[in-house]
């Protein structure tokens, strides 16, 4: 290998475990899967050139052709580059069952630029993704999807949600439309949101016990949902990838033995990602964009190895073990983009409340308890449902000053995971670990 190659520079600084030879999927299977992904994505992209609404034939009974034409006419008359996509999504499909991934690759296939997409998900309803200058600030699709969820009480049909989402997205102020829908939802559901009215409310016969029963049920539901492992895997593109942490939800609130299993999984994935990096670095056809993605993969893998080595020397903690897996997922995403030579990188977004809940997430407003501040973070469906109902989701715990607290409540100067939300709040998690922020002074154990 060339002395100045990315892998050579990486090897010089990393203390990696010995790599083993892994069996690859047959080349024909890889080619077939790649072609299927390209064909399905291109089919959606081509359809959106003809109409801003694309509904898969499997959904035509829920979203009839006449309604597709009606919604398309409303969008076209607005002048906004808004698109509605409704295709069945499953964990094993070419988009990994993730609406955000579907939208990202379709947008890239259509040439990038400005675009606002509402993509339907059987679990979460419509998800809004916005691209282009100022897209994240205006975010008409994002706020349109949120407004539709609240306006339909999270139980509207595909067509009802589409109508509500498009109306809010095309309004003069999509964010205001969302906030109005949120307020109406909270006022209509005081037993859920805790926003009960004046004197007499909550003081009548039976209201106290009912509230307690509702609270107990909500807690029990949250606990049950936590035990249901969300195993939506990202499409493998015809080759074996290191196991995504979407498969590790069973280790949530892990005891010592389960923590050891997480650490061991990190060791195995470090070896596998290292093998994939070796093969990628040896490819003489790597272009400039792919080379940049490859370097990002090397950096993320090196950061994961640094955290793993620290645990081996000083003892493992659950936040660190999860951090290794998150960093390796980042390395895999960069490798995926290096393989595709994609102009716009596709990156999975972990659940902010607990990365062990996986990457099938949707950016969701989370209002602080007893306050008015709100953050927008990616949450899995279960956590999003909890925060909508004014309940605390089942979060990743961390030990701080002798107590178990949500990991994000550890002071930022003591935890790189809290400071970055495992990379959901900032884009520099890898760089922070590289400069040693994973071992700050006074670090919580």
């Amino acid at each position: 290998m060339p002395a100045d190659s990315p892998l050579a520079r990486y090897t010089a600084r990393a203390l990696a475990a010995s790599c083993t030879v892994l069996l690859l999927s047959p080349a024909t299977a890889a080619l077939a899967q790649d072609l299927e992904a390209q064909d399905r994505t291109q089919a959606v992209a081509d359809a959106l050139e003809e109409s801003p609404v694309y509904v898969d034939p499997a959904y035509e009974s829920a979203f009839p052709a006449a309604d597709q034409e009606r919604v398309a006419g409303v969008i076209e008359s607005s002048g906004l580059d808004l698109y509605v996509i409704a295709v069945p999504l499953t964990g094993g499909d070419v988009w990994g069952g993730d609406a955000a991934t579907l939208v990202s690759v379709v947008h890239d296939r259509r040439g990038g630029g400005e675009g606002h997409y509402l993509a339907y998900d059987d679990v979460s309803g419509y998800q809004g993704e916005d691209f282009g200058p100022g897209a994240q600030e205006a975010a008409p699709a994002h706020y349109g999807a949120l407004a539709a969820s609240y306006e339909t009480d999270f139980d509207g049909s595909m067509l009802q949600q589409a109508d509500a989402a498009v109306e809010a997205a095309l309004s003069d102020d999509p964010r205001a439309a969302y906030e109005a829908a949120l307020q109406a939802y909270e006022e209509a559901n005081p037993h859920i949101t805790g926003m009960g009215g004046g004197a007499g409310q909550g003081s009548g016969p039976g209201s106290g016990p009912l509230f307690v029963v509702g609270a107990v049920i909500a807690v029990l539901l949250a606990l049950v949902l936590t035990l249901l492992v969300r195993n939506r895997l990202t499409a493998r593109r015809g080759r074996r990838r290191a196991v995504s942490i979407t498969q590790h939800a069973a280790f949530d609130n892990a005891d010592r033995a389960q923590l050891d299993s997480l650490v061991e999984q990190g060791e195995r994935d470090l070896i596998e990602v290292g093998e994939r990096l070796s093969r990628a670095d040896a490819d003489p056809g790597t272009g400039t964009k792919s080379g940049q993605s490859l370097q990002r993969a090397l950096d993320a893998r090196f950061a994961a190895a640094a955290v793993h080595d620290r645990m081996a020397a000083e003892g493992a903690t659950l936040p660190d073990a999860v951090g290794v897996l998150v960093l390796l997922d980042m390395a895999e995403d960069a490798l995926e983009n290096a393989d595709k030579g994609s102009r716009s990188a596709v990156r999975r977004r972990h659940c902010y409340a607990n990365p062990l809940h996986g990457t099938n997430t949707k950016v969701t407003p989370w209002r602080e308890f007893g306050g008015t501040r709100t953050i927008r973070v990616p949450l899995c469906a279960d956590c999003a449902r909890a925060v909508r109902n004014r309940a605390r989701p089942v979060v990743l715990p961390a030990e701080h000053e002798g107590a178990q607290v949500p990991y994000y409540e550890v002071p930022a100067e003591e935890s790189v995971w809290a400071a970055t939300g495992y990379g959901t709040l900032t884009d520099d998690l890898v760089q922070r670990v590289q400069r040693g922020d994973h071992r700050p002074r006074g670090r919580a154990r």
Side-chain angles (χ1 to χ4, degrees):
M1 109 185 31
D4 61 347
S5 69
L7 186 58
R9 295 193 299 272
Y10 165 78
T11 305
R13 61 184 178 177
L15 298 176
S18 299
C19 294
T20 57
V21 177
L22 300 173
L23 295 177
L24 298 177
S25 301
T28 53
L31 178 60
Q33 190 168 6
D34 280 339
L35 289 176
E36 180 188 4
Q38 294 172 16
D39 289 347
R40 293 193 64 187
T41 300
Q42 191 63 55
V44 176
D46 289 345
L48 294 180
E49 295 299 322
E50 302 296 326
S51 169
V53 177
Y54 174 76
V55 177
D56 187 273
Y59 282 152
E60 283 191 352
S61 61
F63 202 146
D67 289 297
Q68 295 176 39
E69 294 178 2
R70 174 180 57 80
V71 174
V74 171
I75 294 174
E76 289 171 342
S77 64
S78 73
L80 182 68
D81 291 324
L82 179 67
Y83 304 92
V84 177
I85 304 174
V87 299
L89 295 171
T90 60
D93 65 26
V94 296
W95 304 297
D98 182 47
T101 298
L102 161 65
V103 167
S104 181
V105 295
V106 167
H107 180 68
D108 182 64
R109 187 62 61 88
R110 299 184 66 243
E114 182 177 357
H116 310 276
Y117 298 82
L118 293 164
Y120 186 76
D121 181 332
D122 281 327
V123 176
S124 306
Y126 283 93
Q127 297 190 40
E129 300 289 338
D130 300 274
F131 302 87
Q136 297 306 311
E137 181 177 353
H142 169 72
Y143 287 117
L146 289 176
S149 295
Y150 285 106
E151 187 173 324
T152 61
D153 289 334
F154 304 93
D155 194 32
S157 68
M158 179 188 299
L159 179 56
Q160 289 172 331
Q161 292 186 57
D163 282 333
V166 169
E167 181 180 1
L170 298 181
S171 67
D172 293 335
D173 190 341
R175 180 169 184 172
Y178 148 66
E179 291 174 345
L182 171 61
Q183 182 177 357
Y185 175 82
E186 291 178 334
E187 291 174 350
N189 297 276
H191 59 291
I192 294 178
T193 63
M195 293 182 61
Q201 284 191 336
S203 59
S207 62
L210 284 176
F211 177 80
V212 173
V213 171
V216 171
I217 293 174
V219 171
L220 291 176
L221 285 174
L223 291 174
V224 171
L225 289 171
T226 302
L227 298 177
L228 299 177
V229 180
R230 302 186 62 82
N231 193 21
R232 282 185 162 184
L233 301 177
T234 302
R236 293 312 187 207
R237 301 291 184 187
R239 61 181 177 280
R240 182 173 180 263
R241 299 177 62 184
V243 178
S244 168
I245 69 169
T246 54
Q247 297 190 38
H248 298 315
F251 296 111
D252 196 9
N253 299 322
D255 60 17
R256 183 70 244 177
Q258 292 172 321
L259 173 59
D260 290 343
S261 296
L262 276 178
V263 174
E264 291 171 4
Q265 182 64 61
E267 292 175 350
R268 291 192 295 269
D269 288 359
L270 277 166
I271 293 173
E272 181 162 350
V273 173
E275 274 291 306
R276 291 182 58 199
L277 283 167
S278 297
R279 293 192 293 271
D281 188 69
D283 183 0
T286 301
T288 301
K289 294 183 182 296
S290 295
Q292 293 171 349
S293 295
L294 178 58
Q295 185 60 58
R296 286 192 291 271
L298 289 165
D299 290 342
R301 200 274 183 184
F302 173 75
V307 177
H308 180 271
D309 290 347
R310 193 213 62 77
M311 289 196 298
E314 302 176 19
T317 66
L318 182 59
D320 282 348
V322 172
V324 170
L325 297 171
V326 169
L327 288 164
L328 288 173
D329 273 358
M330 291 181 176
E332 286 191 336
D333 292 343
L335 268 171
E336 189 82 9
N337 288 299
D339 290 343
K340 295 185 299 184
S342 176
R343 288 173 295 171
S344 59
V346 175
R347 174 184 163 188
R348 290 171 289 173
R349 297 173 295 178
H350 298 84
C351 178
Y352 170 77
N354 189 334
L356 290 176
H357 292 169
T359 56
N360 183 23
T361 59
K362 179 178 180 180
V363 176
T364 305
W366 187 351
R367 185 182 301 179
E368 67 176 340
F369 292 99
T372 59
R373 293 183 303 173
T374 300
I375 59 174
R376 294 175 59 210
V377 291
L379 295 174
C380 68
D382 295 341
C383 289
R385 186 178 301 110
V387 301
R388 287 197 300 263
N389 293 340
R390 286 289 186 269
R392 185 188 294 275
V394 180
V395 302
L396 182 74
E399 186 174 339
H400 178 63
E401 296 182 348
Q404 289 288 322
V405 300
Y407 83 89
Y408 48 75
E409 291 185 1
V410 177
E413 63 272 13
E414 297 181 19
S415 169
V416 70
W417 317 122
T420 66
Y422 282 95
T424 62
L425 301 179
T426 69
D427 294 328
D428 62 348
L429 173 60
V430 171
Q431 291 74 20
R432 292 187 186 216
V433 173
Q434 286 180 319
R435 71 185 183 214
D437 286 8
H438 62 294
R439 54 169 78 197
R441 184 175 302 174
R443 182 183 188 284
R445 293 301 305 274

